[in-house]
mmCIF file of all heavy atoms in Angstrom:
data_model
loop_
_atom_site.group_PDB
_atom_site.id
_atom_site.type_symbol
_atom_site.label_atom_id
_atom_site.label_comp_id
_atom_site.label_asym_id
_atom_site.label_seq_id
_atom_site.Cartn_x
_atom_site.Cartn_y
_atom_site.Cartn_z
ATOM 1 N N GLY C 696 95.595 93.943 81.293
ATOM 2 C CA GLY C 696 96.259 94.175 80.021
ATOM 3 C C GLY C 696 97.770 94.196 80.144
ATOM 4 O O GLY C 696 98.335 94.483 81.207
ATOM 5 N N ARG C 697 98.437 93.921 79.052
ATOM 6 C CA ARG C 697 99.881 93.742 79.080
ATOM 7 C C ARG C 697 100.643 95.028 79.365
ATOM 8 O O ARG C 697 101.811 94.990 79.774
ATOM 9 C CB ARG C 697 100.361 93.127 77.760
ATOM 10 C CG ARG C 697 100.159 94.004 76.527
ATOM 11 C CD ARG C 697 100.740 93.331 75.277
ATOM 12 N NE ARG C 697 100.048 92.075 74.987
ATOM 13 C CZ ARG C 697 98.983 91.993 74.193
ATOM 14 N NH1 ARG C 697 98.471 93.100 73.646
ATOM 15 N NH2 ARG C 697 98.410 90.845 73.954
ATOM 16 N N TYR C 698 100.021 96.191 79.159
ATOM 17 C CA TYR C 698 100.726 97.447 79.396
ATOM 18 C C TYR C 698 100.588 97.943 80.840
ATOM 19 O O TYR C 698 101.183 98.953 81.212
ATOM 20 C CB TYR C 698 100.232 98.532 78.426
ATOM 21 C CG TYR C 698 100.667 98.272 77.011
ATOM 22 C CD1 TYR C 698 99.798 97.713 76.084
ATOM 23 C CD2 TYR C 698 101.974 98.550 76.600
ATOM 24 C CE1 TYR C 698 100.194 97.443 74.785
ATOM 25 C CE2 TYR C 698 102.387 98.296 75.305
ATOM 26 C CZ TYR C 698 101.497 97.747 74.402
ATOM 27 O OH TYR C 698 101.908 97.476 73.120
ATOM 28 N N THR C 699 99.830 97.227 81.650
ATOM 29 C CA THR C 699 99.553 97.679 83.011
ATOM 30 C C THR C 699 100.460 96.949 83.995
ATOM 31 O O THR C 699 100.074 95.950 84.603
ATOM 32 C CB THR C 699 98.074 97.440 83.379
ATOM 33 O OG1 THR C 699 97.242 97.905 82.309
ATOM 34 C CG2 THR C 699 97.706 98.178 84.648
ATOM 35 N N SER C 700 101.661 97.443 84.150
ATOM 36 C CA SER C 700 102.565 96.832 85.131
ATOM 37 C C SER C 700 102.090 97.172 86.538
ATOM 38 O O SER C 700 101.554 98.263 86.790
ATOM 39 C CB SER C 700 103.999 97.332 84.930
ATOM 40 O OG SER C 700 104.126 98.683 85.310
ATOM 41 N N GLU C 701 102.297 96.246 87.442
ATOM 42 C CA GLU C 701 101.884 96.469 88.837
ATOM 43 C C GLU C 701 102.560 97.696 89.424
ATOM 44 O O GLU C 701 101.984 98.386 90.274
ATOM 45 C CB GLU C 701 102.192 95.207 89.652
ATOM 46 C CG GLU C 701 101.752 95.261 91.109
ATOM 47 C CD GLU C 701 102.736 96.002 91.965
ATOM 48 O OE1 GLU C 701 103.948 95.968 91.668
ATOM 49 O OE2 GLU C 701 102.303 96.642 92.956
ATOM 50 N N SER C 702 103.763 97.983 88.985
ATOM 51 C CA SER C 702 104.507 99.113 89.551
ATOM 52 C C SER C 702 103.807 100.454 89.305
ATOM 53 O O SER C 702 103.955 101.396 90.093
ATOM 54 C CB SER C 702 105.929 99.156 88.988
ATOM 55 O OG SER C 702 105.916 99.239 87.585
ATOM 56 N N LEU C 703 103.027 100.551 88.231
ATOM 57 C CA LEU C 703 102.272 101.785 87.999
ATOM 58 C C LEU C 703 101.256 102.016 89.120
ATOM 59 O O LEU C 703 101.009 103.141 89.540
ATOM 60 C CB LEU C 703 101.567 101.733 86.645
ATOM 61 C CG LEU C 703 102.458 101.590 85.409
ATOM 62 C CD1 LEU C 703 101.613 101.594 84.136
ATOM 63 C CD2 LEU C 703 103.505 102.700 85.362
ATOM 64 N N GLY C 704 100.662 100.926 89.586
ATOM 65 C CA GLY C 704 99.730 101.037 90.702
ATOM 66 C C GLY C 704 100.421 101.396 92.002
ATOM 67 O O GLY C 704 99.838 102.069 92.861
ATOM 68 N N ASP C 705 101.663 100.978 92.155
ATOM 69 C CA ASP C 705 102.422 101.306 93.368
ATOM 70 C C ASP C 705 102.627 102.805 93.514
ATOM 71 O O ASP C 705 102.697 103.309 94.644
ATOM 72 C CB ASP C 705 103.797 100.630 93.330
ATOM 73 C CG ASP C 705 103.751 99.195 93.825
ATOM 74 O OD1 ASP C 705 102.727 98.802 94.411
ATOM 75 O OD2 ASP C 705 104.736 98.473 93.610
ATOM 76 N N TYR C 706 102.737 103.512 92.391
ATOM 77 C CA TYR C 706 103.171 104.894 92.462
ATOM 78 C C TYR C 706 102.172 105.942 91.988
ATOM 79 O O TYR C 706 101.979 106.952 92.661
ATOM 80 C CB TYR C 706 104.472 105.059 91.652
ATOM 81 C CG TYR C 706 105.603 104.253 92.214
ATOM 82 C CD1 TYR C 706 106.070 103.125 91.552
ATOM 83 C CD2 TYR C 706 106.202 104.600 93.418
ATOM 84 C CE1 TYR C 706 107.112 102.369 92.072
ATOM 85 C CE2 TYR C 706 107.231 103.853 93.947
ATOM 86 C CZ TYR C 706 107.688 102.737 93.282
ATOM 87 O OH TYR C 706 108.704 101.986 93.801
ATOM 88 N N CYS C 707 101.540 105.726 90.864
ATOM 89 C CA CYS C 707 100.879 106.888 90.280
ATOM 90 C C CYS C 707 99.620 106.616 89.470
ATOM 91 O O CYS C 707 99.032 107.562 88.935
ATOM 92 C CB CYS C 707 101.869 107.643 89.389
ATOM 93 S SG CYS C 707 102.598 106.618 88.083
ATOM 94 N N ALA C 708 99.163 105.376 89.342
ATOM 95 C CA ALA C 708 97.964 105.131 88.539
ATOM 96 C C ALA C 708 96.749 105.831 89.146
ATOM 97 O O ALA C 708 95.930 106.410 88.437
ATOM 98 C CB ALA C 708 97.707 103.633 88.412
ATOM 99 N N GLY C 709 96.625 105.768 90.476
ATOM 100 C CA GLY C 709 95.495 106.405 91.147
ATOM 101 C C GLY C 709 94.923 105.593 92.289
ATOM 102 O O GLY C 709 94.784 106.093 93.404
ATOM 103 N N PRO C 710 94.558 104.320 92.064
ATOM 104 C CA PRO C 710 94.060 103.489 93.161
ATOM 105 C C PRO C 710 95.120 103.304 94.248
ATOM 106 O O PRO C 710 96.315 103.460 94.001
ATOM 107 C CB PRO C 710 93.733 102.159 92.469
ATOM 108 C CG PRO C 710 93.428 102.544 91.066
ATOM 109 C CD PRO C 710 94.385 103.663 90.752
ATOM 110 N N ASN C 711 94.656 102.953 95.437
ATOM 111 C CA ASN C 711 95.565 102.856 96.565
ATOM 112 C C ASN C 711 96.434 101.609 96.486
ATOM 113 O O ASN C 711 95.983 100.547 96.048
ATOM 114 C CB ASN C 711 94.781 102.847 97.874
ATOM 115 C CG ASN C 711 95.571 103.484 99.004
ATOM 116 O OD1 ASN C 711 96.506 102.905 99.517
ATOM 117 N ND2 ASN C 711 95.182 104.687 99.362
ATOM 118 N N HIS C 712 97.672 101.732 96.943
ATOM 119 C CA HIS C 712 98.551 100.553 96.939
ATOM 120 C C HIS C 712 98.581 99.842 98.296
ATOM 121 O O HIS C 712 99.301 98.852 98.455
ATOM 122 C CB HIS C 712 99.954 100.921 96.456
ATOM 123 C CG HIS C 712 100.832 101.596 97.478
ATOM 124 N ND1 HIS C 712 102.021 102.211 97.141
ATOM 125 C CD2 HIS C 712 100.733 101.765 98.821
ATOM 126 C CE1 HIS C 712 102.595 102.704 98.222
ATOM 127 N NE2 HIS C 712 101.835 102.432 99.253
ATOM 128 N N VAL C 713 97.829 100.334 99.263
ATOM 129 C CA VAL C 713 97.698 99.623 100.537
ATOM 130 C C VAL C 713 96.600 98.583 100.356
ATOM 131 O O VAL C 713 95.411 98.916 100.294
ATOM 132 C CB VAL C 713 97.364 100.576 101.695
ATOM 133 C CG1 VAL C 713 97.252 99.802 103.013
ATOM 134 C CG2 VAL C 713 98.424 101.667 101.804
ATOM 135 N N LEU C 714 97.004 97.309 100.239
ATOM 136 C CA LEU C 714 96.105 96.251 99.793
ATOM 137 C C LEU C 714 96.137 95.061 100.744
ATOM 138 O O LEU C 714 97.140 94.823 101.421
ATOM 139 C CB LEU C 714 96.516 95.784 98.390
ATOM 140 C CG LEU C 714 96.550 96.851 97.292
ATOM 141 C CD1 LEU C 714 97.271 96.315 96.060
ATOM 142 C CD2 LEU C 714 95.130 97.278 96.940
ATOM 143 N N PRO C 715 95.052 94.280 100.772
ATOM 144 C CA PRO C 715 95.020 93.091 101.618
ATOM 145 C C PRO C 715 95.984 92.022 101.115
ATOM 146 O O PRO C 715 96.109 91.801 99.907
ATOM 147 C CB PRO C 715 93.566 92.626 101.521
ATOM 148 C CG PRO C 715 93.051 93.204 100.239
ATOM 149 C CD PRO C 715 93.775 94.495 100.059
ATOM 150 N N THR C 716 96.665 91.357 102.048
ATOM 151 C CA THR C 716 97.633 90.317 101.720
ATOM 152 C C THR C 716 97.234 89.001 102.380
ATOM 153 O O THR C 716 96.247 88.934 103.111
ATOM 154 C CB THR C 716 99.041 90.714 102.198
ATOM 155 O OG1 THR C 716 99.004 90.877 103.628
ATOM 156 C CG2 THR C 716 99.499 92.005 101.553
ATOM 157 N N SER C 717 98.019 87.974 102.135
ATOM 158 C CA SER C 717 97.860 86.673 102.806
ATOM 159 C C SER C 717 96.439 86.130 102.703
ATOM 160 O O SER C 717 95.855 85.673 103.675
ATOM 161 C CB SER C 717 98.279 86.786 104.285
ATOM 162 O OG SER C 717 99.600 87.259 104.402
ATOM 163 N N ARG C 718 95.850 86.234 101.528
ATOM 164 C CA ARG C 718 94.514 85.728 101.208
ATOM 165 C C ARG C 718 93.383 86.509 101.875
ATOM 166 O O ARG C 718 92.212 86.108 101.791
ATOM 167 C CB ARG C 718 94.387 84.231 101.545
ATOM 168 C CG ARG C 718 95.413 83.335 100.838
ATOM 169 C CD ARG C 718 95.057 81.863 100.941
ATOM 170 N NE ARG C 718 93.850 81.565 100.202
ATOM 171 C CZ ARG C 718 92.833 80.843 100.695
ATOM 172 N NH1 ARG C 718 92.873 80.380 101.924
ATOM 173 N NH2 ARG C 718 91.782 80.603 99.948
ATOM 174 N N THR C 719 93.681 87.622 102.520
ATOM 175 C CA THR C 719 92.620 88.399 103.173
ATOM 176 C C THR C 719 91.779 89.185 102.176
ATOM 177 O O THR C 719 90.765 89.770 102.551
ATOM 178 C CB THR C 719 93.189 89.364 104.229
ATOM 179 O OG1 THR C 719 94.112 90.268 103.611
ATOM 180 C CG2 THR C 719 93.909 88.585 105.327
ATOM 181 N N ALA C 720 92.168 89.187 100.900
ATOM 182 C CA ALA C 720 91.316 89.815 99.881
ATOM 183 C C ALA C 720 89.993 89.076 99.727
ATOM 184 O O ALA C 720 89.073 89.567 99.081
ATOM 185 C CB ALA C 720 92.033 89.876 98.534
ATOM 186 N N ARG C 721 89.881 87.901 100.339
ATOM 187 C CA ARG C 721 88.591 87.184 100.348
ATOM 188 C C ARG C 721 87.533 87.954 101.124
ATOM 189 O O ARG C 721 86.340 87.776 100.894
ATOM 190 C CB ARG C 721 88.765 85.798 100.977
ATOM 191 C CG ARG C 721 89.620 84.835 100.172
ATOM 192 C CD ARG C 721 89.859 83.546 100.943
ATOM 193 N NE ARG C 721 90.634 83.777 102.142
ATOM 194 C CZ ARG C 721 90.265 83.402 103.367
ATOM 195 N NH1 ARG C 721 89.118 82.778 103.561
ATOM 196 N NH2 ARG C 721 91.048 83.640 104.411
ATOM 197 N N PHE C 722 87.980 88.818 102.058
ATOM 198 C CA PHE C 722 86.996 89.496 102.906
ATOM 199 C C PHE C 722 87.345 90.951 103.203
ATOM 200 O O PHE C 722 86.646 91.600 103.984
ATOM 201 C CB PHE C 722 86.818 88.747 104.234
ATOM 202 C CG PHE C 722 88.110 88.502 104.987
ATOM 203 C CD1 PHE C 722 88.687 89.497 105.754
ATOM 204 C CD2 PHE C 722 88.733 87.275 104.909
ATOM 205 C CE1 PHE C 722 89.871 89.276 106.445
ATOM 206 C CE2 PHE C 722 89.926 87.027 105.594
ATOM 207 C CZ PHE C 722 90.492 88.046 106.369
ATOM 208 N N SER C 723 88.404 91.477 102.601
ATOM 209 C CA SER C 723 88.754 92.870 102.872
ATOM 210 C C SER C 723 89.142 93.579 101.582
ATOM 211 O O SER C 723 89.259 92.965 100.526
ATOM 212 C CB SER C 723 89.881 92.952 103.903
ATOM 213 O OG SER C 723 91.005 92.205 103.486
ATOM 214 N N SER C 724 89.357 94.876 101.686
ATOM 215 C CA SER C 724 89.478 95.740 100.510
ATOM 216 C C SER C 724 90.690 96.650 100.619
ATOM 217 O O SER C 724 91.291 96.790 101.695
ATOM 218 C CB SER C 724 88.209 96.602 100.377
ATOM 219 O OG SER C 724 87.050 95.803 100.379
ATOM 220 N N PRO C 725 91.043 97.331 99.527
ATOM 221 C CA PRO C 725 92.137 98.300 99.586
ATOM 222 C C PRO C 725 91.814 99.456 100.527
ATOM 223 O O PRO C 725 90.646 99.766 100.785
ATOM 224 C CB PRO C 725 92.241 98.800 98.137
ATOM 225 C CG PRO C 725 91.581 97.751 97.311
ATOM 226 C CD PRO C 725 90.502 97.184 98.168
ATOM 227 N N LEU C 726 92.858 100.090 101.039
ATOM 228 C CA LEU C 726 92.669 101.327 101.789
ATOM 229 C C LEU C 726 92.010 102.349 100.872
ATOM 230 O O LEU C 726 92.320 102.415 99.679
ATOM 231 C CB LEU C 726 94.020 101.853 102.273
ATOM 232 C CG LEU C 726 93.984 103.073 103.208
ATOM 233 C CD1 LEU C 726 93.469 102.670 104.589
ATOM 234 C CD2 LEU C 726 95.378 103.688 103.322
ATOM 235 N N GLY C 727 91.092 103.136 101.418
ATOM 236 C CA GLY C 727 90.410 104.118 100.584
ATOM 237 C C GLY C 727 89.834 105.248 101.402
ATOM 238 O O GLY C 727 89.940 105.279 102.645
ATOM 239 N N THR C 728 89.207 106.169 100.726
ATOM 240 C CA THR C 728 88.594 107.321 101.379
ATOM 241 C C THR C 728 87.617 106.876 102.452
ATOM 242 O O THR C 728 87.521 107.476 103.535
ATOM 243 C CB THR C 728 87.876 108.191 100.330
ATOM 244 O OG1 THR C 728 88.804 108.544 99.298
ATOM 245 C CG2 THR C 728 87.310 109.457 100.957
ATOM 246 N N TYR C 729 86.875 105.797 102.167
ATOM 247 C CA TYR C 729 85.873 105.286 103.100
ATOM 248 C C TYR C 729 86.481 104.850 104.428
ATOM 249 O O TYR C 729 85.786 104.783 105.441
ATOM 250 C CB TYR C 729 85.118 104.108 102.467
ATOM 251 C CG TYR C 729 85.975 103.220 101.603
ATOM 252 C CD1 TYR C 729 86.907 102.338 102.155
ATOM 253 C CD2 TYR C 729 85.903 103.297 100.210
ATOM 254 C CE1 TYR C 729 87.715 101.553 101.365
ATOM 255 C CE2 TYR C 729 86.721 102.511 99.411
ATOM 256 C CZ TYR C 729 87.633 101.640 99.988
ATOM 257 O OH TYR C 729 88.446 100.875 99.208
ATOM 258 N N ASP C 730 87.789 104.556 104.454
ATOM 259 C CA ASP C 730 88.441 104.170 105.712
ATOM 260 C C ASP C 730 88.649 105.355 106.641
ATOM 261 O O ASP C 730 88.981 105.162 107.820
ATOM 262 C CB ASP C 730 89.790 103.515 105.421
ATOM 263 C CG ASP C 730 89.636 102.122 104.844
ATOM 264 O OD1 ASP C 730 89.084 101.264 105.544
ATOM 265 O OD2 ASP C 730 90.040 101.901 103.684
ATOM 266 N N PHE C 731 88.484 106.551 106.137
ATOM 267 C CA PHE C 731 88.661 107.747 106.937
ATOM 268 C C PHE C 731 87.339 108.481 107.150
ATOM 269 O O PHE C 731 87.314 109.643 107.555
ATOM 270 C CB PHE C 731 89.683 108.672 106.274
ATOM 271 C CG PHE C 731 91.032 108.022 106.115
ATOM 272 C CD1 PHE C 731 91.397 107.420 104.914
ATOM 273 C CD2 PHE C 731 91.926 107.977 107.171
ATOM 274 C CE1 PHE C 731 92.636 106.808 104.765
ATOM 275 C CE2 PHE C 731 93.168 107.378 107.036
ATOM 276 C CZ PHE C 731 93.519 106.783 105.834
ATOM 277 N N GLN C 732 86.228 107.790 106.876
ATOM 278 C CA GLN C 732 84.895 108.323 107.099
ATOM 279 C C GLN C 732 84.124 107.385 108.016
ATOM 280 O O GLN C 732 84.407 106.187 108.079
ATOM 281 C CB GLN C 732 84.139 108.453 105.770
ATOM 282 C CG GLN C 732 84.739 109.457 104.801
ATOM 283 C CD GLN C 732 83.944 109.529 103.508
ATOM 284 O OE1 GLN C 732 83.907 108.580 102.738
ATOM 285 N NE2 GLN C 732 83.302 110.664 103.277
#
């Protein structure tokens, strides 16, 4: 949606901003609680 700037996700929306880059989103996911379990 038009009101959801990416910068909100960088700081305070809630989901993690540590994300896969360089096309690795084809097989990997954002950092999350599951990475520490």
Side-chain angles (χ1 to χ4, degrees):
R697 65 177 63 91
Y698 290 100
T699 313
S700 70
E701 183 279 329
S702 57
L703 299 182
D705 276 347
Y706 297 109
C707 56
N711 211 286
H712 79 192
V713 181
L714 302 167
T716 61
S717 303
R718 303 193 67 227
T719 59
R721 293 174 295 126
F722 54 80
S723 56
S724 307
L726 186 72
T728 305
Y729 36 73
D730 287 298
F731 300 97
Q732 295 180 293

